[in-house]
Amino acid sequence: MDADDDSSNPMIDEIYANGDAAEGGGGEKRSRRLIISGDQFDIEAYASLYSGRTKIARLLFIADQCGDDNSAMQLEALRMAFDEIKKGENSQLFREVVNKIGGRLGLDYTMDVAWCEAVDRRAEQKKEKLDNELNAYRTNLIKESIRMGYNDFGDFYYAHGQLGEAFKSYVRTRDYCTTSKHIIHMCMSAILVSIEMGQFTHVTSYVSKAEQTHEALDQITIAKLRCAAGLAKLVSKKYKLAARKFLETAPELGSQYNEVIAPQDIATYGGLCALATFDRTELKTKVIDNINFRNFLELVPEVRELINDFYSSHYASCLEYLANLKANLLLDIHLHDHVETLYDQIRHKALIQYTLPFVSVDLQMMASAFKTTISELEKELVALITDNQIQARIDSHNKILYARHADQRNATFQRVLETGRGFDRDVRSMLLRTNLIKHDYNARSLSRKL
Amino acid sequence: MDPLEALVAQIQGLSSTPGDIARLHVILKQADDSLRSESTRLSSVLAQLAPSEHSLGFLYVLDAFTSGQISKQQAETTVPIITGFINACNAEQIRLAPEKFVLVCKRLKDQVMMLEAPIRSVGPLFTAARKLQLSTEHLTPLHSDFLLLCLLAKCYKTGLSILEDGIFEVDQPRDLFLYCYYGGMICIGLKRFQKALDLLHNVVTAPMSSLNAIAVEAYKKYILVSLIHHGQWQISTSLPKYASSVAQRSLKNFCQHYIELANSYGTEKIAELEAYVQTNTEKFENDNNLGLVKQVVLSMYKRNIQRLTQTYLTLSLQDIANTVQLNSPKEAEMHVLQMIQDGEIYATINQRDGMVRFLEDPEQYKTCEMIEHIDSSIQRIMALSRKLSAMDEQISCDQLYLSKVGRERQRYDFDDFDVPTKFNI
């Protein structure tokens, strides 16, 4: 349908379309816009961006988020998850998915007990074999083999979904690492498992450990580490630092880190966090003029457009893009919890930026620029003024916002007088207390003397 | 000669020079008991003595005269005698026998309470306190009685005049507690909330080894006045570190309702606050704090309106009523009007449009009065600084302090700071 819409980030238009139909202004809006499509969220395209365990995790997340309203999508997601899991060795996850499907997808997608048992048996055998090998290596005290043995164990546990054990095994290889390559390998594995487990503190520590190795790392590894660090910061709500990390990622990474993150995600996360936290100069230098990051932004043209709109003060269209993207972003496993906060921050920044250059602003015009009603806008502005983010006062009678700059001189005088009074009070009570204590002490020592 | 007659003659004779007065004092002390036994004849004795010249003698006789039970009719006659004496007496002479003077004044207080006319003794006790004070910074037991009578007689302004003096010298901590507590109440009555807060703060943070009831009551009022004046009260920051540990631990246990009231105030929901006050009305009433609690609720409205002045230039009365959770624009108008009159906000009300226009504080800090005000503040603070340094010097020379410090100090060097042995107790 749209040439631009290459499986990168299709939108759920239903929600927007419903709102639009109610307003009755849907037609003209659509024709004016560059990128908008009526496609459903394409799960297959989305899932094809990822590989490995994260693919399954994401599909399951989408299925959970859809709930019962959108059962078509939910079943689609579960079906794909089922297929993925069958390719692997994780019987625990298999059982979970089958429970969730609950027989709704027909006989092909029911509990395959035989398969489960086969997988479990294979797992037992493999584990025994690995154990024996490892013991042999340990008695022989060959560092390299022991390291390989632990690595194999780690891989094994990871494939079977025992993430905690996997992490422990990977970490154990640390004592047997001889070259920096080994260390890097260990760090990357540890990071992967930590991200899957959701323990992002480990991620941060292993990223710094990897970055500290003496040898120069190759581009791809550096890019991977940046992504992982960015993710960790995002999850811990440090949006500014997350944005910086994502923006420093080299575009050569491409899809090579599919087991964790897709390049579209880097663009989206980086773009949104930057928009929510950077000021204008930073936004221009680090995002808009950033040639490297441009490669990522090409993959998600909506994000590119919305950043440009924000910078050039076309707030209405910027906020429209955001509204469209919202439904998709809520299905993303990492961004899900942060969408609301980021959106609020972006909206507030837009409001503040709008009022900054003016001495007085007509609220009617501002409301139409932001496509809200005057009373809604007034409420938002009052909140921002009370928070001291906008220096202005509202003339509610004429619906005008007047900029107001605090009078430094008067404020200083007031503070001075207040400080003087405070000092006066404090010293007087101190002197009084001193006298009381002295009197008390005198009385006591007098009685002691006697 | 009749011992009493002899005494009268001695009083009359030995009241002129300080040396004589000292001898008189000794004689009077010895004659004290005999005076008491002759209480019936004392009124005629009093008639012979002149209060202004023979103050000391008069005092002793008066003390003996009033020491028994006095009925209401007798009080009618004794009160004028005592007030006359207080007004006329000689300050140096009575300072030789301060306890007796205090005792006499206390009896005066009891008598006017019996007669239910506290106002009769407000003036006299004011004079009495001034005369007994060694300096304006000295607190006497009479101060607290005086303030109590002012409260009962509702003469707040007179009470305020004595509160204006800063107190630094205190003989009895209990006097201080009562003084500050009653003083706080007088300031609340005059709506001088900052001064009330200072006085109550002094009570609450005074050094005490065990909790007393005055401190508990003062703490309750402290919480309420704090809410009215500052609009906030946090239990975590309420008592500074220099408050006694006893106070810090146990005061809050006695003031549970007030702390809950403060928490409810902090949520900024007027409906909740009012509901809480409704349910606990009796408890507040028992503590005689209901009026103050009602003022707390009122102050919440005021604070909300003040917050509006920060965000709006003009606002309709209807909007004010909605934001501040009042019932109608009329009520909002009344509140705003009251606040403008009290000088708490600067605004003009446009009744035709039903709009209120908020103005900036017109104070420009450019007038001569302001310069004078700042100048006098600077002078005052410099004087206070000097006082602080003087006290510091005084304590460093104090014998007890030196002995305690000397004992605890380590000897680093053989010939380092050798504390003279006479300072070691």
Side-chain angles (χ1 to χ4, degrees):
Chain A
M1 199 173 158
D2 263 328
D4 288 335
D5 189 0
D6 56 314
S7 79
S8 51
N9 217 332
M11 289 166 283
I12 289 190
D13 208 19
E14 313 177 304
I15 302 168
Y16 185 66
N18 283 341
D20 241 344
E23 280 175 45
E28 27 178 275
K29 285 197 187 124
R30 277 197 205 201
S31 57
R32 206 186 54 201
R33 297 273 246 87
L34 316 156
I35 302 139
I36 187 171
S37 76
D39 287 341
Q40 274 260 14
F41 178 64
D42 195 343
I43 297 194
E44 285 213 34
Y46 180 72
S48 66
L49 294 172
Y50 304 97
S51 68
R53 203 194 146 81
T54 189
K55 187 168 176 180
I56 304 171
R58 282 168 192 262
L59 286 169
L60 286 176
F61 187 78
I62 292 175
D64 284 335
Q65 287 303 306
C66 285
D68 293 317
D69 318 322
N70 211 340
S71 51
M73 203 155 90
Q74 186 186 33
L75 288 175
E76 180 70 17
L78 288 171
R79 190 182 61 79
M80 297 185 61
F82 188 94
D83 292 334
E84 265 310 303
I85 295 177
K86 260 255 165 101
K87 290 183 210 154
E89 304 258 324
N90 196 340
S91 55
Q92 182 59 34
L93 217 49
F94 181 74
R95 289 195 190 92
E96 268 184 51
V97 170
V98 170
N99 277 338
K100 288 199 177 138
I101 294 181
R104 288 179 283 174
L105 283 171
L107 290 170
D108 277 340
Y109 293 95
T110 51
M111 191 65 187
D112 195 346
V113 182
W115 183 85
C116 278
E117 285 185 352
V119 162
D120 288 339
R121 237 178 306 130
R122 273 204 301 271
E124 272 300 312
Q125 289 170 346
K126 182 121 195 252
K127 184 153 180 246
E128 263 190 64
K129 185 169 122 224
L130 284 175
D131 233 347
N132 294 336
E133 280 179 9
L134 190 62
N135 284 333
Y137 294 146
R138 268 218 288 257
T139 39
N140 289 341
L141 282 181
I142 310 171
K143 262 199 163 177
E144 181 55 26
S145 336
I146 300 178
R147 190 187 73 85
M148 298 287 310
Y150 272 121
N151 258 328
D152 291 336
F153 246 117
D155 295 336
F156 167 75
Y157 280 129
Y158 183 68
H160 281 268
Q162 287 163 304
L163 296 173
E165 297 292 322
F167 185 73
K168 272 190 249 176
S169 306
Y170 284 130
V171 169
R172 279 210 196 101
T173 66
R174 183 155 117 215
D175 302 327
Y176 308 99
C177 288
T178 41
T179 68
S180 19
K181 247 208 188 57
H182 296 162
I183 299 181
I184 306 262
H185 179 83
M186 173 206 76
C187 290
M188 297 305 296
S189 323
I191 291 173
L192 182 63
V193 178
S194 310
I195 293 181
E196 286 294 325
M197 282 201 291
Q199 287 174 1
F200 287 91
T201 38
H202 288 301
V203 173
T204 332
S205 55
Y206 281 100
V207 164
S208 42
K209 216 187 293 266
E211 281 172 352
Q212 273 165 13
T213 53
H214 304 297
E215 266 180 37
L217 304 164
D218 71 321
Q219 276 268 5
I220 306 281
T221 322
I222 298 182
K224 286 187 185 176
L225 289 171
R226 288 269 154 72
C227 288
L231 260 184
K233 294 270 181 290
L234 175 66
V235 169
S236 54
K237 295 194 198 285
K238 297 197 174 83
Y239 301 124
K240 195 159 192 170
L241 298 170
R244 294 216 180 109
K245 291 282 176 196
F246 284 126
L247 291 169
E248 287 166 9
T249 315
E252 288 81 12
L253 178 66
S255 317
Q256 300 203 19
Y257 208 22
N258 295 22
E259 57 267 24
V260 172
I261 195 172
Q264 287 84 352
D265 290 338
I266 298 179
T268 321
Y269 297 168
L272 284 181
C273 290
L275 201 55
T277 51
F278 283 3
D279 60 10
R280 270 180 84 81
T281 34
E282 252 192 306
L283 197 66
K284 179 114 176 87
T285 50
K286 292 213 174 133
V287 182
I288 300 181
D289 290 344
N290 187 341
I291 309 180
N292 286 339
F293 199 66
R294 205 171 284 176
N295 296 327
F296 284 116
L297 280 177
E298 292 301 320
L299 301 168
V300 273
E302 292 91 13
V303 177
R304 185 193 64 207
E305 285 309 309
L306 85 87
I307 294 181
N308 283 332
D309 276 341
F310 186 92
Y311 189 74
S312 53
S313 306
H314 293 126
Y315 300 110
S317 66
C318 170
L319 292 172
E320 264 187 72
Y321 277 117
L322 276 179
N324 288 342
L325 286 177
K326 190 167 185 179
N328 281 14
L329 294 177
L330 283 173
L331 293 174
D332 182 291
I333 197 172
H334 293 295
L335 202 56
H336 169 78
D337 301 319
H338 306 279
V339 170
E340 287 293 344
T341 334
L342 284 171
Y343 269 46
D344 281 339
Q345 283 188 4
I346 295 177
R347 195 184 167 82
H348 287 164
K349 282 192 81 189
L351 286 170
I352 297 172
Q353 200 172 279
Y354 186 95
T355 58
L356 213 50
F358 299 113
V359 167
S360 64
V361 175
D362 182 4
L363 289 183
Q364 176 71 46
M365 287 182 55
M366 190 170 173
S368 63
F370 279 88
K371 301 250 175 343
T372 89
T373 60
I374 294 192
S375 43
E376 286 294 321
L377 183 65
E378 210 175 306
K379 279 199 203 101
E380 286 187 80
L381 285 174
V382 167
L384 284 172
I385 294 176
T386 326
D387 228 2
N388 222 8
Q389 304 220 26
I390 299 186
Q391 313 289 332
R393 307 253 296 274
I394 300 179
D395 182 344
S396 185
H397 186 51
N398 302 321
K399 301 290 178 209
I400 300 184
L401 182 83
Y402 287 101
R404 173 244 222 167
H405 301 285
D407 190 340
Q408 291 284 23
R409 183 174 172 279
N410 282 358
T412 314
F413 268 105
Q414 271 173 346
R415 260 203 315 276
V416 162
L417 286 173
E418 190 52 49
T419 316
R421 277 192 286 264
F423 179 82
D424 198 37
R425 274 201 301 274
D426 289 338
V427 172
R428 274 175 200 279
S429 24
M430 265 196 277
L431 286 172
L432 183 61
R433 271 196 302 278
T434 318
N435 267 329
L436 280 175
I437 295 176
K438 189 166 78 147
H439 166 83
D440 195 33
Y441 191 71
N442 283 341
R444 271 192 283 159
S445 65
L446 223 75
S447 58
R448 229 178 345 176
K449 265 192 197 166
L450 296 172
Chain B
M1 199 184 190
D2 184 14
L4 204 53
E5 299 274 349
L7 194 59
V8 169
Q10 277 179 320
I11 293 175
Q12 284 168 333
L14 292 173
S15 294
S16 29
T17 65
D20 287 343
I21 292 182
R23 259 178 40 211
L24 180 62
H25 195 193
V26 172
I27 298 173
L28 282 172
K29 274 197 238 181
Q30 290 166 336
D32 201 23
D33 295 326
S34 58
L35 275 175
R36 279 179 205 275
S37 53
E38 305 256 11
S39 53
T40 42
R41 293 174 53 192
L42 287 175
S43 47
S44 55
V45 171
L46 284 175
Q48 294 173 6
L49 295 173
S52 45
E53 293 150 28
H54 312 131
S55 305
L56 195 57
F58 199 96
L59 178 60
Y60 268 81
V61 176
L62 195 58
D63 174 44
F65 180 54
T66 54
S67 57
Q69 280 283 44
I70 305 230
S71 67
K72 232 172 168 178
Q73 300 94 323
Q74 281 177 312
E76 276 295 333
T77 49
T78 44
V79 164
I81 301 179
I82 304 181
T83 50
F85 167 63
I86 294 177
N87 286 333
C89 69
N90 183 318
E92 283 106 31
Q93 290 197 23
I94 52 167
R95 281 190 200 138
L96 294 171
E99 316 81 34
K100 285 218 178 284
F101 189 63
V102 169
L103 219 52
V104 166
C105 294
K106 280 206 192 305
R107 290 203 195 108
L108 172 66
K109 181 186 100 178
D110 296 332
Q111 286 170 11
V112 297
M113 302 268 277
M114 204 165 35
L115 292 174
E116 289 173 17
I119 195 165
R120 287 172 68 171
S121 62
V122 166
L125 269 185
F126 182 71
T127 340
R130 283 259 178 266
K131 285 193 180 166
L132 192 56
Q133 270 184 326
L134 295 170
S135 70
T136 50
E137 296 169 358
H138 183 226
L139 184 73
T140 64
L142 295 176
H143 279 77
S144 44
D145 288 333
F146 168 66
L147 288 178
L148 175 62
L149 287 166
C150 285
L151 275 173
L152 291 171
K154 302 215 189 309
C155 304
Y156 295 141
K157 292 230 172 60
T158 350
L160 194 63
S161 58
I162 217 172
L163 283 170
E164 295 290 343
D165 306 327
I167 294 290
F168 294 114
E169 301 282 326
V170 177
D171 291 328
Q172 276 290 334
R174 188 164 171 276
D175 296 336
L176 178 70
F177 290 145
L178 282 174
Y179 170 79
C180 287
Y181 180 62
Y182 292 138
M185 285 171 73
I186 288 185
C187 291
I188 293 175
L190 288 171
K191 296 219 189 313
R192 304 255 313 242
F193 291 117
Q194 183 58 60
K195 197 157 172 69
L197 218 55
D198 293 340
L199 287 165
L200 291 171
H201 185 80
N202 278 341
V203 184
V204 168
T205 57
M208 45 181 149
S209 48
S210 59
L211 209 50
N212 58 53
I214 307 173
V216 172
E217 293 302 316
Y219 194 58
K220 293 178 184 168
K221 291 202 162 56
Y222 182 68
I223 298 178
L224 292 175
V225 176
S226 200
L227 285 177
I228 296 178
H229 188 69
H230 287 308
Q232 58 178 11
W233 188 84
Q234 304 280 25
I235 187 165
S236 48
T237 56
S238 58
L239 282 178
K241 279 191 290 200
Y242 48 76
S244 67
S245 52
V246 175
Q248 282 181 15
R249 276 198 308 265
S250 354
L251 267 181
K252 37 187 183 285
N253 299 338
F254 291 94
C255 308
Q256 210 41 46
H257 295 293
Y258 295 83
I259 296 177
E260 283 169 26
L261 184 72
N263 290 339
S264 167
Y265 190 96
T267 62
E268 295 182 16
K269 295 203 178 47
I270 297 192
E272 268 187 43
L273 187 67
E274 286 187 338
Y276 186 80
V277 172
Q278 275 302 108
T279 46
N280 290 310
T281 316
E282 302 148 29
K283 297 195 193 82
F284 291 136
E285 222 166 330
N286 287 342
D287 292 331
N288 291 329
N289 282 334
L290 191 59
L292 213 52
V293 170
K294 291 209 165 99
Q295 286 195 36
V296 168
V297 177
L298 211 65
S299 80
M300 185 160 216
Y301 288 115
K302 289 189 189 170
R303 211 153 292 286
N304 287 344
I305 295 181
Q306 268 173 339
R307 237 198 303 268
L308 288 175
T309 63
Q310 293 303 310
T311 48
Y312 286 97
L313 265 183
T314 64
L315 194 59
S316 70
L317 286 168
Q318 181 64 46
D319 283 331
I320 294 182
N322 291 342
T323 328
V324 181
Q325 297 160 40
L326 287 167
N327 291 333
S328 71
K330 269 277 156 230
E331 273 193 45
E333 193 179 331
M334 270 175 7
H335 276 278
V336 173
L337 195 58
Q338 189 61 42
M339 286 173 78
I340 297 177
Q341 278 175 343
D342 290 337
E344 289 164 4
I345 59 173
Y346 303 97
T348 53
I349 305 182
N350 183 335
Q351 278 193 324
R352 197 180 41 161
D353 298 332
M355 280 283 166
V356 178
R357 188 180 186 81
F358 297 117
L359 307 163
E360 293 282 346
D361 180 357
E363 179 61 64
Q364 286 293 315
Y365 301 97
K366 286 183 190 161
T367 59
C368 283
E369 289 89 28
M370 183 49 73
I371 307 268
E372 273 182 51
H373 176 64
I374 296 180
D375 190 49
S376 63
S377 304
I378 296 178
Q379 298 293 346
R380 203 180 58 231
I381 292 185
M382 276 165 47
L384 204 58
S385 259
R386 276 195 290 271
K387 200 182 173 67
L388 191 59
S389 343
M391 172 159 266
D392 187 38
E393 279 177 34
Q394 197 194 29
I395 292 189
S396 350
C397 306
D398 187 82
Q399 188 180 25
L400 284 173
Y401 171 77
L402 279 174
S403 64
K404 187 164 167 80
V405 169
R407 233 180 315 160
E408 292 173 356
R409 199 157 43 176
Q410 305 267 6
R411 307 223 171 174
Y412 297 111
D413 210 32
F414 190 66
D415 48 343
D416 195 27
F417 299 120
D418 215 1
V419 178
T421 44
K422 73 170 178 179
F423 285 125
N424 288 338
I425 297 185

